Amino acid sequence: MRRLRSSTVVLGGMGVLAATITSCGSEPDRRCVDPLTREKLPSYECESGSGSGSSSSTRGSYYYGGSVSDNRVSGGSFDKTAVDTGGFGCSGSGGG
């Protein structure tokens, strides 16, 4: 009978632990979207300008979950808490 090396056992255990943690506490997909047209935008359109005192206006808002088809989003929400991330072994508090 062959013994497994301790490093193999440790790495395998770490992989299972990482999968469990990320699947339960993972963030929903986040996309920058025009709130009026629901068109997917580049991420810089949602990032607020911090620093040098200039107020940069952004035209996008973050959209969580859902999917993109023909450069438009659907099936998600602009409210991050309304999107159920689910996952293995999680008690989901679905919203929406």
Side-chain angles (χ1 to χ4, degrees):
M1 203 169 179
R2 191 173 156 215
R3 289 181 78 179
L4 291 176
R5 292 185 179 164
S6 61
S7 61
T8 304
V9 173
V10 169
L11 289 176
M14 293 295 281
V16 170
L17 178 63
T20 302
I21 290 171
T22 57
S23 65
C24 190
S26 64
E27 295 286 318
D29 290 339
R30 181 176 79 167
R31 299 171 177 88
C32 186
V33 172
D34 183 319
L36 300 175
T37 64
R38 299 228 173 170
E39 176 186 358
K40 187 175 180 290
L41 301 171
S43 61
Y44 65 82
E45 292 283 357
C46 286
E47 295 170 358
S48 61
S50 60
S52 66
S54 64
S55 62
S56 68
S57 61
T58 57
R59 76 177 234 215
S61 295
Y62 284 115
Y63 188 85
Y64 300 94
S67 60
V68 179
S69 178
D70 294 328
N71 208 36
R72 302 219 186 268
V73 296
S74 63
S77 175
F78 286 102
D79 180 10
K80 182 179 179 181
T81 60
V83 180
D84 182 20
T85 57
F88 177 76
C90 297
S91 58
S93 57

